[in-house]
Amino acid sequence: MRDLNIIITLCLAIVISFAGSAEANDTDVIVVGAGMSGMVAAIEAADYGADVVLFEKTSRLGGTAVVAGGSISGANALMQYEAGITDDSAERFYADIYRLGRGEHDPELAWKHVEEAGLAVDYMDKMGVDFGDREPGNTAYDPFDVDRQYMAADGGAGYTSVLEEEVAARVERGHIDLRMQTKVTGLIQDECGGVVGVNVEDVESGDTAEYASGAVILATGGYAANLDLVKRYNFDNARTAALPHATGDGFEMAEEIGAGFANMDYLPAYPGSIPLPESPERHELSAEVEDYPGAIWVDKYGRRMSSEHDLTTGERQAVWAEAPANKVFIILDEGIRSDNASIIAGHDWERFEELLDGGVVKSADTVEELAEALGVDVSGLHDTVDAYNQFVEQGEDEDFGRSELEYKLENPPFYGIKTYPFVLLTKGGPTMNTNAQILDEHGRVIPGVYQTGELVGGANIGGQGSVGGLAHTINVVWSRISGQHGAAYAQQNR
Ligand SMILES: Cc1cc2nc3c(=O)[nH]c(=O)nc-3n(C[C@H](O)[C@H](O)[C@H](O)COP(=O)(O)OP(=O)(O)OC[C@H]3O[C@@H](n4cnc5c(N)ncnc54)[C@H](O)[C@@H]3O)c2cc1C
C-alpha cells in the first residue's frame, strides 16, 4: 500500500509539473473536435470555470450534425409537459432502450443517459434552438412507447448554428481558445499512463506543437469515412456516405493509450450501394431494394439469402452485412424491367441506361452468361433461378416464404447489379464510466481523458438497434458530463 501511495504521489507530481511547464501551450481542458458534441463539451467546461482550448482539424464548425436530421430524444423534457405528456419517465425510456437495443447496451451508461436526456433536450431548448411546433413525436424507426422525440426546425444545423454563437461568445470572453485547421495527432501521457496533453499539427503549414492540459476530451466523431477501420471492425467491403472528416482519429488515439472497446462489431449499414467507377469508395447511388417487384438478391455463390420482400429495415441491413464479402447481386430480367419503375434510386431510367452502357449494370442473354459477367458462381445462379421460377409457378417460396411471386426470371436479357452496404455513422466505441472517463481494457480509469459524441458508441448507450434521436442526445448528455468532470478534474490536479 505504501508503494502504491508513493506511485500515486509521484504521478500527481508529474501531472502537475508537466501541466505547469509549457506556459504558452498550457490550459485546463483541451477539447478535440468542434462538431456538435465538442462544442457542447467546450461550452460546458468553460462554464464550469476551466480555460479551454478547442481544436478543429477542418475549416468549419459543426461536424456531421450540419447535414443531419434534427431529432433528439428525452423523457420529461419541458416540451413533453407542454404537450400534456406527464407520465413519461427515465424508467420507461430505459425499457424502450432495452427493447429496441436487444439488451446490448451498458446498463450503467444507459441508465445515466435516460436520466439526463430530458435535461439535455431542455438545455438545447433554453439555448434557443427552434423546435418548430414543439410537439413531441415518435421515430421513423421502431417506435418509443410514448412520444419523446423532438425535431429541430432546421435539422441538425439548428443545433450547430446556436452552438456556434455560444462558442463565439466564450471565445470573445477569453474562456475558449478556438484553433481551427489544427489536427490533434496524438495524446501525451505521463509515466503513469495519465493523459496530460496533446500533439497537434497545423493542417496548412504542417507545423507541429505540444499542448499541456489538465484534461483532454475527445469529441472526434465516428470512423465511417475510414474504410480501413470499417474493414477491420465491420465489413470486408463497404462504401461510405459519411463526411470526410469522420476518420476515427479518436478511436486510434484511444487505442494507443490502451482503451477498452465495446460493440465495435455492430454497425448498421444501409443496403444496395452501387459501385461507380468514378467513385471507388464513396457511396453515390443505391438500388431500390425495398420491395422492388420481381428482382431477387443473390450472394457470390448465386444463392438467395432472404425473402427480399416484407423485410424490416434491420433484416434488409442484415442481408448485406452477412453476405460473403458483403457483395449482394440484384438480378432481374427484361419482363420486370419493362413492367416496372427503374431499379435505380429515384426510379431513374436515364441513369439505368447510362449504367448499362457503362457496364455497371450487366446484361446477358442467358442466366449463365450473366453469372459470368457478374463474377457469380454459374451453376449456383442457374439452380437458384430454376428453383425460384418453380416457386413462382407453384405460388409458394419454399426457401424463404416470399409473398410477392409475380415474375418468373425467364425473359432475356437478364440484368444484374453488384451492390455493397454503405455506412453513415458508427456505433461502437471506447469503454467509459458514467463520468465519461475512458477506461482501459481492464476497466480501469485512464486518468485525464474523457470522451463524448459519436466516439462513445451509440450501441454502448442504446444497444444494437435504432433509438430515435440517440446520437444528438449523446452529443449533449455526454458532452455536458465530460465538460463538467473534465473541468473539475483539471482544476483539482493543477
Ligand atoms: C445524414 C445524417 C443524418 C443524421 N441524422 C441524425 C438525426 O436526425 N438524429 C440524430 O440523433 N443523429 C443523426 N445523425 C448522427 C449525428 O448527426 C452524428 O452522430 C453526430 O452529430 C456526431 O457528432 P460528433 O460531434 O460526435 O462528431 P462529428 O460531428 O463527426 O464531429 C467531429 C469533429 O471533430 C473533428 N475532428 C476529428 N478528428 C479530429 C482531430 N484529430 N483533431 C481535431 N479535430 C478533429 C472533425 O473535423 C469534426 O468537426 C445523422 C448522421 C448523418 C450522417
Side-chain angles (χ1 to χ4, degrees):
M1 180 56 89
R2 195 167 152 267
D3 287 351
L4 189 66
N5 283 340
I6 292 169
I7 290 169
I8 290 169
T9 314
L10 200 65
C11 291
L12 206 56
I14 293 165
V15 172
I16 292 166
S17 71
F18 184 90
S21 62
E23 274 164 30
N25 293 346
D26 179 6
T27 191
D28 294 329
V29 174
I30 285 172
V31 179
V32 187
M36 181 175 166
S37 70
M39 288 198 284
V40 175
I43 290 166
E44 201 67 6
D47 290 359
Y48 269 69
D51 287 332
V52 178
V53 179
L54 173 57
F55 290 111
E56 169 53 49
K57 70 178 176 181
T58 70
S59 55
R60 70 167 182 83
L61 298 171
T64 301
V66 169
V67 299
S71 63
I72 194 166
S73 50
N76 296 336
L78 181 63
M79 284 184 276
Q80 235 185 356
Y81 285 108
E82 285 171 6
I85 301 171
T86 54
D87 58 349
D88 198 7
S89 63
E91 286 82 357
R92 281 181 78 176
F93 195 2
Y94 189 90
D96 271 346
I97 280 184
Y98 200 93
R99 174 175 56 85
L100 298 169
R102 304 198 301 262
E104 297 292 340
H105 57 281
D106 177 309
E108 284 187 12
L109 298 181
W111 181 248
K112 184 77 176 167
H113 182 87
V114 294
E115 279 188 322
E116 297 289 328
L119 294 170
V121 176
D122 289 348
Y123 179 87
M124 296 311 301
D125 190 11
K126 278 188 214 132
M127 209 174 257
V129 171
D130 176 4
F131 283 101
D133 64 10
R134 302 179 61 79
E135 276 293 315
N138 222 305
T139 92
Y141 308 117
D142 285 346
F144 294 132
D145 84 335
V146 60
D147 289 347
R148 68 165 80 85
Q149 178 173 279
Y150 319 86
M151 294 298 291
D154 297 330
Y159 302 116
T160 56
S161 56
V162 167
L163 289 167
E164 280 180 38
E165 284 174 26
E166 295 290 329
V167 168
R170 286 158 184 82
V171 169
E172 180 100 349
R173 294 202 290 270
H175 297 158
I176 296 179
D177 178 0
L178 176 61
R179 304 290 175 97
M180 299 300 291
Q181 292 190 277
T182 310
K183 179 176 175 175
V184 171
T185 54
L187 299 171
I188 300 170
Q189 288 177 282
D190 63 20
E191 287 169 24
C192 306
V195 171
V196 291
V198 298
N199 293 307
V200 303
E201 181 184 297
D202 183 303
V203 172
E204 288 207 306
S205 68
D207 290 348
T208 59
E210 284 186 8
Y211 278 75
S213 66
V216 174
I217 301 172
L218 295 177
T220 48
Y223 62 88
N226 183 339
L227 291 181
D228 289 337
L229 283 185
V230 171
K231 186 167 185 168
R232 174 174 161 195
Y233 289 115
N234 311 108
F235 303 117
D236 289 338
N237 284 294
R239 303 162 59 71
T240 179
L243 294 184
H245 71 255
T247 46
D249 301 12
F251 291 81
E252 289 171 337
M253 286 186 246
E255 186 176 28
E256 274 163 23
I257 60 169
F261 287 86
N263 274 309
M264 292 301 289
D265 57 343
Y266 177 66
L267 201 176
Y270 295 82
S273 179
I274 301 173
L276 303 176
E278 66 271 23
S279 175
E281 292 204 328
R282 290 208 69 78
H283 162 76
E284 302 283 347
L285 186 69
S286 299
E288 297 282 354
V289 291
E290 190 171 343
D291 295 344
Y292 184 83
I296 60 168
W297 310 336
V298 299
D299 65 14
K300 65 178 187 169
Y301 302 109
R303 302 173 305 202
R304 287 174 69 214
M305 294 159 282
S306 72
S307 69
E308 293 102 5
H309 269 249
D310 310 320
L311 298 178
T312 62
T313 307
E315 286 166 344
R316 254 192 307 277
Q317 289 173 339
V319 171
W320 269 258
E322 288 160 20
N326 310 109
K327 290 183 191 170
V328 177
F329 300 85
I330 299 176
I331 310 291
L332 58 154
D333 73 358
E334 184 60 25
I336 297 166
R337 180 192 168 187
S338 55
D339 258 14
N340 293 304
S342 169
I343 194 162
I344 301 305
H347 294 306
D348 184 344
W349 273 127
E350 224 172 283
R351 200 74 202 272
F352 183 89
E353 296 296 340
E354 267 174 37
L355 296 179
L356 200 54
D357 290 347
V360 173
V361 175
K362 307 284 185 201
S363 76
D365 287 336
T366 65
V367 169
E368 291 76 11
E369 283 166 5
L370 182 70
E372 256 171 44
L374 289 169
V376 167
D377 184 79
V378 174
S379 63
L381 187 62
H382 169 91
D383 293 350
T384 294
V385 170
D386 264 4
Y388 179 74
N389 285 343
Q390 181 61 38
F391 296 154
V392 176
E393 200 155 303
Q394 70 196 30
E396 189 194 350
D397 173 3
E398 289 173 13
D399 288 343
F400 297 101
R402 171 169 167 153
S403 58
E404 184 274 338
L405 289 168
E406 207 179 328
Y407 296 90
K408 276 185 170 179
L409 289 161
E410 59 182 6
N411 297 303
F414 297 92
Y415 299 104
I417 313 169
K418 179 171 70 177
T419 65
Y420 294 111
F422 69 97
V423 294
L424 258 187
L425 64 151
T426 49
K427 295 286 244 176
T431 47
M432 69 173 184
N433 64 16
T434 53
N435 293 343
Q437 290 174 290
I438 294 181
L439 306 178
D440 71 14
E441 51 197 8
H442 305 291
R444 296 174 303 215
V445 167
I446 304 175
V449 63
Y450 298 75
Q451 65 173 351
T452 180
E454 196 173 314
L455 173 64
V456 161
N460 294 333
I461 309 294
Q464 297 192 353
S466 296
V467 176
L470 183 72
H472 290 157
T473 320
I474 287 174
N475 282 350
V476 185
V477 167
W478 295 97
S479 295
R480 297 189 67 200
I481 292 172
S482 60
Q484 292 164 14
H485 283 272
Y489 178 86
Q491 287 158 359
Q492 276 162 19
N493 290 306
R494 288 163 68 78

